[in-house]
Amino acid sequence: MPVPRNIIEQIKQIVPPLNGTLHKGQSGRVGVLGGAMDYTGAPFFAAMSALRLGADLSHVICAPTAAQAIKSYSPDLIVHPILKEDAPQDKVKKELDSLLSRLHVLVLGPGLGREDYMQNYAKVALNLARSKAMFLVLDADALWLIGQDLSLVKGYRRAVLTPNVVEFKRLSEKAGVDTSVPPDEKAAEVSKRLGGVVVLQKGPKDLIAIDTTGEAASLAESGIRHVLDEESEKVKEVIEVDVEGGLKRCGGQGDVLSGTVGAMLAWGKCYEDGAFGDKSISASRLPILAAVGGSMVTRTSSKRAFHVEGRGLVTQDMIPYLAKAFAENFGEDLQAGERGRL
């Protein structure tokens, strides 16, 4: 089933115009927290994918053991090696607080790992991001983190969770979803039990779900204000993205997805703040639009790269195709800036 046309049109509304009216940073400032001794590729893939989709600035917040490698991959990334294992936590928290205040979205998880000190820093960053009403993308070992304490994300409607098959099964069990719930309804049930977070369940077809009808959903906790009719905010919506993808499922494709969703959420924050657009789309709707858009673009870039590389496809082959994938789904004119929107 194709993504509904009205969803695609709404996604187009949150894409920054390329008409000369915006200054640097108003097309999105993305942060990726992850990267330790064993993991340097994942945060690079996420951060670079955000840039290649069209975010203005992309920051990687990592451990010093990963910083030099990540810096060597691209001079376009801004790398902050502040997550030191032996540093006083108050000092790192202050640095994180300052850094997050300059960003529109935080992507947590790519290359995070499960070492205690990295998990603790991720928890600090998540709580700081919530206090600033930032948009969040949680992937990989950030999903492991919230699985240990669901309250970290419960009720926060500015979050998008991007679990794969194994992560989704674990998250469903932690959330108490009954095994009798039909497979195509489980993502919505997880969303409901977690208070209306958006769940992007990765698979042969991506399922993106939100259910804010439960008691745990909170507009106030999410920093969503100026809502005239709170009853209208109680929704259940499941969107299937069956856009063709590549036949090779390479490790790291999920990092590309977290980066593209992060970029679209950063655009959404700029839209919410009035940098462009008419604010006709509620802030509570931005996470599901970003999840759908990121899924469509990532799957299409995988398809295009696979057509060239075939069985030898690796993640870095996908990134150069993100711009063309965006144009294929949302229009060449929007990608190339031939049609400006005020």
Side-chain angles (χ1 to χ4, degrees):
M1 181 183 298
V3 174
R5 173 53 55 181
N6 69 304
I7 299 294
I8 292 176
E9 292 304 316
Q10 287 177 356
I11 293 171
K12 287 182 177 182
Q13 288 186 57
I14 67 170
V15 177
L18 288 173
N19 58 8
T21 62
L22 302 179
H23 60 69
K24 184 176 70 175
Q26 289 187 312
S27 289
R29 301 186 294 271
V30 176
V32 177
L33 192 146
M37 181 178 292
D38 294 331
Y39 303 106
T40 60
F44 164 76
F45 292 141
M48 184 54 69
S49 295
L51 282 183
R52 283 297 187 183
L53 187 59
D56 280 348
L57 298 167
S58 206
H59 299 248
V60 177
I61 308 165
C62 64
T65 51
Q68 290 303 316
I70 296 171
K71 286 181 179 182
S72 74
Y73 299 153
S74 173
D76 292 294
L77 300 179
I78 305 168
V79 181
H80 307 270
I82 64 174
L83 306 181
K84 300 176 182 177
E85 184 172 7
D86 57 353
Q89 191 169 76
D90 287 347
K91 179 178 182 293
V92 178
K93 182 178 179 180
K94 185 177 295 184
E95 291 175 316
L96 281 170
D97 187 47
S98 175
L99 182 52
L100 296 187
S101 67
R102 292 143 50 191
L103 305 177
H104 294 120
V105 63
L106 180 64
V107 180
L108 268 171
L112 179 65
R114 296 183 186 176
E115 293 180 89
D116 287 344
Y117 81 99
M118 290 294 288
Q119 288 277 306
N120 287 334
Y121 285 141
K123 185 184 297 186
V124 170
L126 195 160
N127 286 325
L128 284 171
R130 286 191 63 160
S131 72
K132 298 176 185 298
M134 290 178 66
F135 287 110
L136 286 167
V137 182
L138 292 103
D139 186 36
D141 283 323
L143 297 173
W144 172 267
L145 172 69
I146 65 169
Q148 312 311 303
D149 182 3
L150 296 178
S151 69
L152 288 169
V153 75
K154 195 170 188 178
Y156 192 62
R157 292 176 55 184
R158 289 180 180 266
V160 177
L161 280 53
T162 60
N164 61 22
V165 173
V166 174
E167 292 161 345
F168 183 75
K169 181 177 183 295
R170 185 189 304 127
L171 191 61
S172 298
E173 292 171 351
K174 293 288 187 178
V177 176
D178 196 282
T179 55
S180 65
V181 175
D184 60 351
E185 296 179 17
K186 283 188 175 180
E189 186 63 23
V190 172
S191 173
K192 182 178 181 180
R193 288 171 179 264
L194 294 185
V197 301
V198 169
V199 177
L200 196 171
Q201 181 185 357
K202 296 180 286 195
K205 298 177 181 179
D206 292 344
L207 286 180
I208 293 108
I210 183 172
D211 188 335
T212 63
T213 62
E215 294 181 1
S218 173
L219 291 171
E221 282 286 324
S222 308
I224 298 172
R225 301 177 177 84
H226 311 300
V227 176
L228 298 178
D229 180 12
E230 291 202 12
E231 283 301 311
S232 68
E233 291 286 335
K234 295 181 179 180
V235 298
K236 178 181 179 181
E237 185 173 8
V238 179
I239 300 170
E240 180 182 278
V241 178
D242 61 357
V243 172
E244 183 185 355
L247 297 180
K248 171 73 179 295
R249 179 63 175 88
C250 53
Q253 185 167 321
D255 303 313
V256 174
L257 175 65
S258 65
T260 58
V261 174
M264 288 201 169
L265 280 173
W267 291 347
K269 181 59 177 173
C270 294
Y271 173 91
E272 180 187 7
D273 290 346
F276 61 89
D278 59 8
K279 292 192 176 185
S280 61
I281 298 174
S282 168
S284 62
R285 186 146 186 78
L286 297 175
I288 194 168
L289 296 179
V292 172
S295 170
M296 294 173 69
V297 169
T298 302
R299 293 174 72 93
T300 303
S301 67
S302 173
K303 174 194 70 175
R304 283 176 168 263
F306 178 77
H307 285 170
V308 176
E309 304 295 340
R311 190 178 299 276
L313 174 74
V314 294
T315 301
Q316 62 185 351
D317 297 326
M318 293 174 54
I319 296 175
Y321 290 97
L322 288 171
K324 290 182 174 63
F326 177 91
E328 182 175 332
N329 285 287
F330 302 109
E332 185 66 43
D333 52 353
L334 196 57
Q335 167 63 22
E338 294 169 4
R339 180 185 65 200
R341 292 181 290 107
L342 298 178

